[in-house]
């Protein structure tokens, strides 16, 4: 058997297996839709019970609460699913079945997964009932072509546009809830989590990533994730970051264990001078951003209060976006047109043609251009769609961001890539299937009519 015949056989086998997986996924989605309807029916029966069966004189709210409690307990015992999970499934199902008919129909048809449906249910919670049909109409086309994680990003942006309260008002309220949590994990480990503002979190994560990258360049054998963790705990405990050469002076083992003497003997801890903790606003004032912050030009001028967008996160309140822009020294201030959302400027402070081109492409692509990949563009390579060795130009029309994994997929496997119109990429798998990707539109383009076909 010659090689082409073997390749055709393998391609046909992969196609057959893929078709079966897709068919099973459609079946699972349809089954999840039926289960959602049953949960919603059960909730209706429970509410009827609260109105007709509960003892006379029981307050309506208490009667409904008890009926729901009884329902959750029984379904949990029958399905061996925790009561809290049953409660969540009932709540999700009521929204899906009673308020999102287009999403339920798509789930029933298998054109979206239950993961996509849950993203839509979660994001629609803050959308006014009058706007929910519009919300569905706009997010479902995205759900049918993107992963659930990618859908969540776009749905969150649309939700911000339709939310009745401004993002500035909601951010002010949410900011009061910042806190630190400690949750035990298995094998002597724990999760230490910080809920804080998006710019502060992004800046802190970026610093840890930069520290880890620098340490690895000096030959440290730890992984990037381990180094980010070790730098974080050293900064929190000692106010400095350590390396393997000076770790012992801070009781930090090369493997990452931190054992300060104050943990063993709290009485030995020095008493620091009372220093007021800085507020989030003061911290943001000290941040020198190294990520893209998109700011509508009229927001920057103080004429309007449309939200900005933080790379890798999404919407941020206009006050924070403007504050970051004013303080910017080494990040790209992106101005967008107030009507079309198109990019007006990417800055020229450090202008050289190659850098300027990279900036423009990073803004255009935002992430790896392979199907389903969400790796941020700043962590990707710029790939020549038509290789340079084959006459391909170093131009925006021939460059796209690919992460390391998908860069190898393009060059080292039988996948192929061709360019379409309007920055569309067409990926062709070894079995002959074609998948298209295109850049996301700017985050804050105005709502435009959507075809209803």
């Amino acid at each position: 058997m010659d090689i082409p015949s073997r390749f055709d056989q393998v391609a046909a086998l992969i196609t057959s297996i893929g078709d079966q997986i897709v068919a099973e996924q459609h079946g699972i989605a349809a089954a999840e839709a039926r289960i959602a309807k049953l949960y919603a029916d059960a909730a209706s029966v429970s509410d009827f019970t609260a109105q007709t069966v509960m003892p006379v004189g029981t307050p309506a709210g208490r009667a409904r609460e008890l009926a729901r409690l009884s329902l959750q307990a029984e379904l949990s015992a029958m399905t061996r699913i925790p009561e809290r999970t049953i409660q969540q499934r009932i709540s999700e199902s009521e929204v899906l079945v009673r308020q999102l008919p287009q999403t339920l129909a798509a789930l029933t048809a298998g054109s979206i997964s239950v993961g996509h449906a849950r993203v839509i249910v979660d994001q629609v919670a803050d959308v006014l009932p009058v706007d929910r049909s519009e919300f569905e109409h706009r997010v479902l086309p995205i759900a049918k072509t993107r992963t659930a994680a990618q859908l969540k990003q776009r749905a969150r942006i649309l939700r911000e546009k339709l939310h009745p309260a401004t993002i500035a008002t909601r951010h002010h309220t949410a900011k009061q809830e910042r806190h630190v949590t400690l949750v035990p994990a298995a094998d002597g480990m724990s999760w230490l989590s910080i809920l804080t503002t998006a710019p502060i979190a992004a800046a802190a994560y970026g610093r840890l990533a930069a520290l880890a990258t620098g340490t690895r360049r000096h030959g440290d054998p730890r992984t990037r994730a381990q180094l980010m963790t070790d730098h974080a705990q050293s900064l929190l405990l000692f106010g400095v970051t350590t390396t393997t050469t000076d770790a012992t002076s801070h009781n930090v083992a090369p493997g990452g264990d931190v054992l300060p003497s104050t943990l063993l003997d709290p009485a030995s801890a020095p008493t620091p001078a009372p220093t007021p903790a800085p507020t989030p606003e003061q911290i943001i004032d000290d941040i020198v951003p190294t990520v893209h912050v998109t700011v509508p030009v009229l927001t920057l001028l103080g004429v309007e209060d449309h939200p900005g967008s933080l790379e890798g996160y999404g919407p941020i309140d206009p006050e924070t976006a403007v504050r970051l822009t004013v303080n910017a020294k080494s990040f790209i201030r992106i101005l967008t047109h107030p009507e079309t959302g198109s990019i007006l400027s990417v800055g020229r402070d450090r202008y050289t043609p190659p850098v300027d081109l990279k900036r423009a492409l990073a803004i255009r692509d935002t992430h790896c251009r392979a199907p389903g990949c969400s790796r941020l563009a700043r962590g990707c390579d710029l790939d020549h769609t038509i290789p340079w060795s084959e006459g391909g130009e170093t131009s925006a029309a021939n460059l796209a961001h690919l992460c390391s994994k998908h860069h190898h997929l393009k060059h080292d496997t039988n996948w192929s890539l061709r360019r379409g119109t309007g920055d569309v990429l067409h990926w062709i798998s070894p079995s002959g299937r074609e998948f298209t990707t295109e850049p996301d539109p700017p985050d804050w383009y105005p709502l435009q009519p959507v075809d209803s076909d």
Side-chain angles (χ1 to χ4, degrees):
M1 183 180 295
D2 56 18
I3 292 179
S5 297
R6 290 180 180 176
F7 176 80
D8 291 342
Q9 285 187 345
V10 170
L13 182 60
I14 292 176
T15 297
S16 175
I17 293 172
D19 287 340
Q20 293 178 62
I21 291 173
V22 170
E24 294 295 340
Q25 286 180 327
H26 287 177
I28 292 171
E32 289 285 358
R34 293 193 297 272
I35 291 173
K37 292 177 183 177
L38 292 172
Y39 274 123
D41 288 344
S44 296
V45 172
S46 172
D47 292 345
F48 177 78
T49 300
Q51 297 171 9
T52 60
V53 178
M54 287 294 174
V56 177
T58 304
R62 180 58 174 166
R64 185 177 187 274
E65 178 184 349
L66 291 173
R68 287 293 179 106
L69 180 63
S70 175
L71 170 66
Q72 293 160 17
E74 185 164 3
L75 290 181
S76 175
M78 293 172 65
T79 61
R80 298 178 300 282
I81 297 174
E83 287 188 38
R84 185 177 294 274
T85 304
I86 291 289
Q87 181 183 23
Q88 180 180 357
R89 291 298 304 272
I90 290 174
S91 177
E92 291 173 344
S93 297
E94 288 184 286
V95 174
L96 177 63
V97 173
R98 298 173 184 171
Q99 302 177 25
L100 300 172
Q102 299 175 60
T103 305
L104 179 62
L107 184 63
T108 302
S111 54
I112 65 172
S113 71
V114 68
H116 293 88
R118 284 175 176 159
V119 167
I120 296 173
V121 168
D122 180 60
Q123 295 298 316
V124 83
D126 294 327
V127 177
L128 290 175
V130 69
D131 294 323
R132 290 185 176 180
S133 178
E134 171 78 1
F135 181 85
E136 273 194 291
H137 192 51
R138 293 184 176 278
V139 299
L140 279 174
I142 302 171
K144 294 175 182 178
T145 59
R146 305 290 182 96
T147 65
Q150 291 172 330
L151 169 66
K152 185 175 182 179
Q153 176 75 0
R154 302 311 303 176
R156 186 170 59 189
I157 292 168
L158 179 58
R159 183 199 67 186
E160 296 296 344
K161 290 176 177 290
L162 298 174
H163 200 289
T166 67
I167 190 173
T169 299
R170 287 178 284 123
H171 176 68
H172 177 76
T173 301
K175 190 165 57 177
Q176 310 311 311
E177 301 300 322
R178 59 191 185 276
H179 62 271
V180 178
T181 56
L182 179 64
V183 179
D187 304 320
M189 305 292 283
S190 288
W191 290 98
L192 179 65
S193 303
I194 302 173
L195 178 65
T196 186
T197 67
I200 292 175
Y205 187 90
R207 184 185 181 193
L208 292 175
L211 288 170
T213 299
T215 307
R216 281 183 63 82
R217 285 174 180 167
H218 286 82
D220 195 295
R222 285 173 284 182
T223 67
R224 183 173 182 269
Q226 290 170 343
L227 283 167
M228 289 179 68
T229 304
D230 295 346
H231 281 303
Q233 58 199 21
S234 183
L235 285 165
L236 285 170
L237 289 169
F238 311 115
V240 296
T241 182
T242 63
T243 65
T244 52
T245 57
D246 65 5
T248 54
S249 65
H250 294 291
N251 297 321
V252 182
D257 291 333
V258 180
L259 298 173
S261 58
T262 55
L263 292 183
L264 304 178
D265 181 13
S268 67
T271 302
T275 303
T279 66
E281 292 78 10
Q282 291 170 326
I283 295 175
I284 290 173
D285 281 342
D286 289 333
I287 291 176
V288 178
T290 56
V291 297
H292 297 165
V293 177
T294 304
V295 188
V297 66
L298 294 184
T299 295
L300 189 63
L301 295 175
V303 177
E304 295 181 351
D305 61 351
H306 294 307
S309 179
L310 179 67
E311 178 190 25
Y313 172 77
I316 58 174
D317 65 287
E319 179 185 351
T320 300
V322 171
R323 187 186 296 269
L324 285 169
T325 303
V326 170
N327 296 335
K329 295 179 181 178
S330 62
F331 82 127
I332 303 168
R333 292 170 289 184
I334 309 165
L335 304 185
T336 58
H337 192 282
E339 295 180 358
T340 66
S342 60
I343 296 166
L344 298 178
S345 171
V346 295
R348 298 281 183 178
D349 293 340
R350 295 179 295 170
Y351 173 78
T352 60
V355 173
D356 192 53
L357 180 60
K358 288 180 180 179
R359 288 176 175 177
L361 292 174
I363 295 164
R364 181 197 71 186
D365 290 345
T366 70
H367 54 71
C368 172
R369 294 290 305 282
C373 187
S374 298
R375 181 69 179 266
L376 290 178
R378 58 191 170 97
C380 297
D381 305 322
L382 271 175
D383 171 72
H384 289 74
T385 305
I386 300 174
W388 174 267
S389 60
E390 298 176 13
E393 297 181 354
T394 303
S395 65
N398 191 49
L399 291 170
H401 284 87
L402 299 180
C403 67
S404 177
K405 179 176 69 175
H406 291 115
H407 207 161
H408 284 292
L409 179 76
K410 173 179 179 282
H411 290 284
D412 300 335
T413 74
N414 288 321
W415 281 74
S416 61
L417 178 62
R418 64 180 178 84
R419 202 90 182 196
T421 58
D423 296 318
V424 173
L425 297 183
H426 299 271
W427 291 79
I428 298 89
S429 74
S431 62
R433 292 180 180 272
E434 183 172 309
F435 307 90
T436 61
T437 68
E438 58 185 324
D440 287 329
D443 281 353
W444 296 112
Y445 63 97
L447 292 177
Q448 300 293 337
V450 176
D451 293 336
S452 57
D453 55 358

